[in-house]
Structures are given as structure tokens and as C-alpha cells.
Amino acid sequence: MSDNNLDIENIRREWRDRLLILGHHYQSPDVLRHADVIGDSLELARKAAASNAERILFCGVHFMAESADILTTPAQSVYMPEPGAGCPMASMADDTQVEKAWTFLNQQGDAWLPIVYVNSTARIKAFCGRAGGSACTSSNAPKVFQWALDQKKKIFFLPDIHLGINSAHDLGIPDEHTAIYDYQKPNGGLTPEALKNVRVLVWGGYCPIHVNFTVADVQAARASWPEARIIVHPETPKEIVRMVDAHGSTAQIIKYVQAAPAGSTIVIGTESQLVKRLAEEHKGRLTIKMLKGSFCPNMAKTNEQNLVRILRDWPDRNCIRVPSLLIPDARLCLERMLAL
Ligand code: 13P
Ligand code: SF4
């Protein structure tokens, strides 16, 4: 056993249930073997909310640790092994731009409800909570969309263009009733007339890892493995999602693989670390291929070295504290999702 491993085990024994280590599916096996819970964004948010641990160590990216801080009590602390692990998509929705967009939409006479992907900052979640909206993850986006549509509201979804368009399509909403809010243009590049027909308006953010997948990648996979089934994450552009066999969150991809009949081939379009892990876990039973290698460099910022360092020293810079002013509204936004 390596020194790091031994140290981590000793520290964990000392802390027992006063410490909870959460690990997202995109983390490396070296990190995940120390996690109490491995999950997708939804599962990890639920586990943080239900935890009484004094300290939660979040192995993932910044917005996930922020959500854990929002959902826990002031007596609990949330840490990250590397607080510089951000999500570029979350940085694509700035609260001043979002507030401006919201004012513009509400001047048009229709009733709107914001839905924010958890891959967003605490400020955006607070805006959403104040405006009566809810968070969602890639596991439950269509369900949260339905909740808004049942209230006869138009949906303002942010920040991921692709999860927004794919979720609307999952609910049978035709593309003509969706539109993109281009945050680099005044009023999102939209006129009041263009908005009349819109039921789902999506912010123009995206995940650099999932927009790597192309139609040509799917065609090449079909040519190489004609019998294979292909599944992608819904942060992938609609052209690809609509030509493959299935799409789903990280947890849904894992379930899909687990349910596949022995001997079958599955091609997966998501972050490579998860695909590598699934290929290893199902070796001999299934053939698992990457649609294309696509690593999230931010997820990779957490490793066994910074994990052991934080467990030894608990430096203050690694503690994630959402400003207390934002917490009540951001909490409302997350709790509305968790209640659905
Ligand atoms: P999941 O909610 O599917 O785990 O996805 C989180 C994420 O960041 C995907 O890029
Ligand atoms: Fe953000 Fe994409 Fe990395 Fe997920 S995979 S954390 S959405 S950059």
C-alpha cells in the first residue's frame, strides 16, 4: 500500500462519520477509491443535503461544492482538494447579463420561469430561486421542464444550450418553439416578435468537452462497430443526440451499460475518465468504446496527492463558502429540484 493510501486510511479512521468524501463519476479511480459516495450531480447534491458530517470533501468541480455548501448547515464545512477546479460552462452565465435578460423577457408580457442547470454559479442559483424557478441536473431536466410547463410558463433555461434543446425535444417540443439567447448580443439577438412563438429559451453556454463530439464521429463508430449501441451525455449537440441510440446523465449511462446484454458493444460519448472506468469494470462481459477521447481538465485537477494534502492540513483556501446573502435564494432553487 502506498504512503498516500495509508495516510488517507488513518485519517479517515480518526474522523469516522464526521467526514464525508463525495466523488463525481468523472474523477480518476485513484480518487474514487477513497470516496464514501460516487455519483452524478443529482445524487451527490442529495447526499450532501442529507449528511450530518462536520466536513464534506468534494472531489468534483466548484459548482458542485458550492451546491453542497448551500444545502448544508453553517456548522458544516465543504472543502475541495483543488478549489481552482471550475466548470467553464458555469462561467458562461454572468449574473448581471442574466438579470438584464430576465428584465427584457418580463417586458414582453408573457409569463416566464427560469430553470438553471446545476452547472452554474451560486449567484445564478440565487437569481433563479428569487424568480420562482428551480435547478435541474442532466438526470432530471425533462421532469423539471414539465413542472414549469404545467404552470403554463415559458422556460428560460441556462446556461447549457444543448441540455436545454435536448430536454425540450425529449418532451416533444418542436425546434420551432425553442430559441437561443445569445448573451453576446443586445437582448440576446432576439426581437419581441421572435419571442412570441418560443416555449423554451436557452442561454448560449456549452460544455467544451461534450461539444467535441461530431456527426462524423458517430458515422465512424457505426462503420467500425455496426452492431454497437451508442449513448451520449445530453450536453452533446442535438444533431448527434438525435442520431444515436440513447442519451443520459453519467448515472443513466452507467445504468445503460449495466443493463446491456453480455457480449454487446457500447460506444459512449462522454468524459473519457468515466468511459475508461466502465470499460475496465465490464471487461470480458461487454466491449466498451469511446466515441472520441475527451477529458475534462478541471475534473482532473483533483488527485490523490492533493486529496491527502487537504486531509492532513485542511487549509482555509480549500474551504468553499458561498456568501451568506446568496444562500436562502440559492437554497430555494436547489430545494425545489430536490422536492420534485
Ligand atoms: P452529471 O450530472 O451527468 O453527472 O453531469 C455533470 C457534468 O458536469 C457533465 O459534464
Ligand atoms: Fe463542466 Fe463539461 Fe467538465 Fe462537466 S465535463 S465539469 S460540464 S467542463
Side-chain angles (χ1 to χ4, degrees):
M1 192 181 286
S2 73
D3 285 355
N4 277 346
N5 240 324
L6 209 60
D7 280 359
I8 295 175
E9 287 199 7
N10 285 337
I11 296 167
R12 303 215 40 168
R13 214 165 296 125
E14 194 187 308
W15 278 83
R16 295 202 207 157
D17 55 3
R18 291 188 297 132
L19 169 67
L20 177 71
I21 303 185
L22 301 176
H24 185 264
H25 287 307
Y26 292 161
Q27 293 289 304
S28 71
D30 272 359
V31 170
L32 290 183
R33 69 197 149 100
H34 301 295
D36 296 298
V37 182
I38 302 174
D40 68 351
S41 310
L42 182 60
E43 165 82 354
L44 296 178
R46 282 195 196 287
K47 284 291 185 302
S51 168
N52 292 318
E54 216 173 282
R55 287 188 185 173
I56 295 177
L57 182 52
F58 215 117
C59 303
V61 288
H62 197 265
F63 74 81
M64 297 179 178
E66 276 194 337
S67 294
D69 186 48
I70 292 164
L71 290 167
T72 48
T73 68
Q76 296 172 288
S77 306
V78 178
Y79 286 79
M80 288 178 77
E82 175 42 69
C87 168
M89 181 205 287
S91 311
M92 290 175 194
D94 158 85
D95 58 314
T96 312
Q97 284 175 323
V98 170
E99 294 278 5
K100 251 194 213 161
W102 187 239
T103 305
F104 168 66
L105 294 180
N106 284 292
Q107 283 164 349
Q108 309 312 316
D110 291 313
W112 291 87
L113 206 56
I115 297 178
V116 300
Y117 191 21
V118 286
N119 299 36
S120 54
T121 63
R123 280 186 189 282
I124 295 296
K125 290 185 181 80
F127 147 77
C128 181
R130 264 194 313 279
S134 168
C136 75
T137 72
S138 51
S139 270
N140 61 14
K143 192 180 186 182
V144 180
F145 274 34
Q146 193 57 58
W147 166 82
L149 296 170
D150 290 346
Q151 297 176 56
K152 307 270 176 282
K153 300 277 173 74
K154 293 185 172 207
I155 295 170
F156 177 41
F157 179 74
L158 56 158
D160 186 17
I161 196 171
H162 304 294
L163 181 64
I165 299 283
N166 289 328
S167 303
H169 189 257
D170 286 345
L171 291 175
I173 297 173
D175 289 346
E176 311 82 88
H177 294 302
T178 66
I180 294 157
Y181 188 95
D182 181 346
Y183 58 88
Q184 292 174 354
K185 292 188 180 157
N187 294 336
L190 297 161
T191 60
E193 295 66 45
L195 272 175
K196 282 274 171 284
N197 213 19
V198 172
R199 294 177 68 197
V200 178
L201 180 65
V202 298
W203 194 260
Y206 60 91
C207 163
I209 313 312
H210 288 90
V211 298
N212 259 338
F213 303 123
T214 63
V215 167
D217 294 331
V218 177
Q219 287 164 339
R222 293 244 188 260
S224 302
W225 307 289
E227 74 297 348
R229 278 184 292 154
I230 307 181
I231 182 165
V232 299
H233 195 279
E235 288 173 9
T236 305
K238 66 177 183 193
E239 295 74 22
I240 292 108
V241 167
R242 293 178 194 180
M243 69 191 289
V244 299
D245 302 288
H247 58 276
S249 69
T250 54
Q252 289 160 347
I253 291 173
I254 293 169
K255 278 200 196 112
Y256 189 82
V257 167
Q258 286 166 344
S264 53
T265 301
I266 315 241
V267 178
I268 305 177
T270 194
E271 205 274 340
S272 299
Q273 200 62 257
L274 173 59
V275 188
K276 276 177 29 185
R277 194 172 97 236
L278 287 172
E280 193 54 37
E281 284 172 7
H282 293 270
K283 199 156 65 185
R285 192 181 81 83
L286 301 172
T287 303
I288 293 187
K289 299 283 180 190
M290 278 183 200
L291 182 57
K292 179 196 268 167
S294 197
F295 281 94
C296 176
N298 282 288
M299 285 284 181
K301 284 181 181 165
T302 299
N303 53 46
E304 210 173 34
Q305 280 68 39
N306 52 33
L307 187 64
V308 76
R309 213 173 302 135
I310 188 170
L311 288 170
R312 277 192 203 128
D313 305 335
W314 297 104
D316 204 46
R317 77 172 275 274
N318 294 62
C319 187
I320 309 302
R321 287 190 195 94
V322 172
S324 52
L325 246 147
L326 297 176
I327 290 196
D329 290 336
R331 195 176 175 117
L332 256 181
C333 164
L334 285 165
E335 284 182 345
R336 285 193 187 110
M337 167 184 81
L338 295 176
L340 283 176

